[in-house]
Amino acid sequence: MGTLFLRLIEESADLELHAGLSSRDPLDAVLGADLVVDVTVPAVSPGIVEKAVRAGIPVLVGTSGWSEPRLAALRRVVAEVDGPGVLVVPNFSVGSVLATLFATIAARFYESVEIVETHHPGKVDSPSGTAIRTAELIAEARRDFGPVRAPHADQRARGQQVASVPVHSLRLPGIEARQEVVFGGAGETLTLLHDTTSQAAYEQGILAALAAAPTLKGVVVGLDKVLPLAASGSADAGASS
């Protein structure tokens, strides 16, 4: 993802690279930037983001692992320093955003749902950030209907429960990214499948996020929060949890 960001920044007439860092480089090099883009690894991402926020620099986060507890801690930091906005994007693909939206609609009608996410072997975290966010939004959509039913959840083969939703992670060569959200009801199943076959799927979302992130306030989660902003040219997307 870092390589993709660098290419898109280099190709843009409106963007200029301040510094390109690895996750092992000193963070002081970000000082003076107009925006920090974090596409590192879950273990170091929170420290990078907090450093930037306390330095008064807006942040675009594309690193996985930002579950609701981490987001809650980040909101406290942003509120404490009355700092710049932080945009957290679990997935830069427009199709992925739509698939998650469709899942939240279906969640109100099915009490049984499980997620199977598959990524290339180089992905170091599991479940994926997209799967975590999808499960959390499904649980939120079912707030008035009760938690998802997950029989035998104590068995390890049943996956990791995220917001009561079982999530199963596969890491295989020959694939970029795939997420299946499977709903079960009386006499039927409904499967929402999103396949990413190339990193080209992320380009539109990355450019929209780069344009929007410096204008935001608070902690904003999800590419869907900035796609309308990119289309309308609005300068204020507001904060979202």
Side-chain angles (χ1 to χ4, degrees):
M1 287 299 287
T3 301
L4 178 57
F5 266 91
L6 288 174
R7 178 174 66 78
L8 293 175
I9 291 169
E10 289 172 358
E11 292 175 353
S12 173
D14 301 324
L15 300 171
E16 180 179 347
L17 182 65
H18 175 79
L21 309 177
S22 77
S23 59
R24 296 177 297 274
D25 290 325
L27 295 181
D28 286 344
V30 305
L31 300 178
D34 297 314
L35 175 70
V36 168
V37 176
D38 167 45
V39 280
T40 54
V41 294
V44 301
S45 180
I48 293 170
V49 175
E50 182 170 352
K51 171 80 172 183
V53 168
R54 293 190 182 278
I57 308 172
V59 190
L60 168 58
V61 181
T63 303
S64 289
W66 282 86
S67 60
E68 189 52 43
R70 278 195 171 186
L71 289 170
L74 176 58
R75 292 186 188 101
R76 289 193 291 271
V77 172
V78 171
E80 175 190 338
V81 301
D82 193 21
V86 178
L87 173 59
V88 180
V89 180
N91 197 307
F92 288 97
S93 159
V94 175
S96 175
V97 170
L98 291 173
T100 295
L101 173 62
F102 299 154
T104 63
I105 295 171
R108 300 195 298 269
F109 300 92
Y110 295 93
E111 62 179 8
S112 293
V113 54
E114 306 202 13
I115 297 173
V116 181
E117 58 95 355
T118 307
H119 283 80
H120 55 87
K123 185 169 180 59
V124 297
D125 61 309
S126 61
S128 70
T130 303
I132 290 171
R133 185 63 178 163
T134 302
E136 290 174 345
L137 291 176
I138 285 173
E140 183 178 326
R142 288 195 53 80
R143 184 180 301 166
D144 296 332
F145 304 94
V148 166
R149 288 187 59 197
H152 314 298
D154 58 313
Q155 299 175 6
R156 294 182 62 185
R158 293 287 294 117
Q160 176 181 330
Q161 279 197 301
V162 179
S164 80
V165 179
V167 180
H168 312 267
S169 297
L170 310 182
R171 296 293 176 262
L172 301 170
I175 193 165
E176 180 69 25
R178 167 181 290 186
Q179 178 166 287
E180 299 172 75
V181 185
V182 185
F183 295 90
E188 65 176 359
T189 61
L190 170 66
T191 300
L192 299 175
L193 170 64
H194 177 257
D195 264 319
T196 303
T197 58
S198 164
Q199 285 199 336
Y202 305 133
E203 294 184 9
Q204 179 183 353
I206 286 173
L207 292 173
L210 285 170
T215 72
L216 302 177
K217 299 296 183 183
V219 178
V220 179
V221 182
L223 185 65
D224 55 305
K225 304 299 193 307
V226 301
L227 286 176
L229 172 127
S232 66
S234 167
D236 184 13
S240 172
S241 60

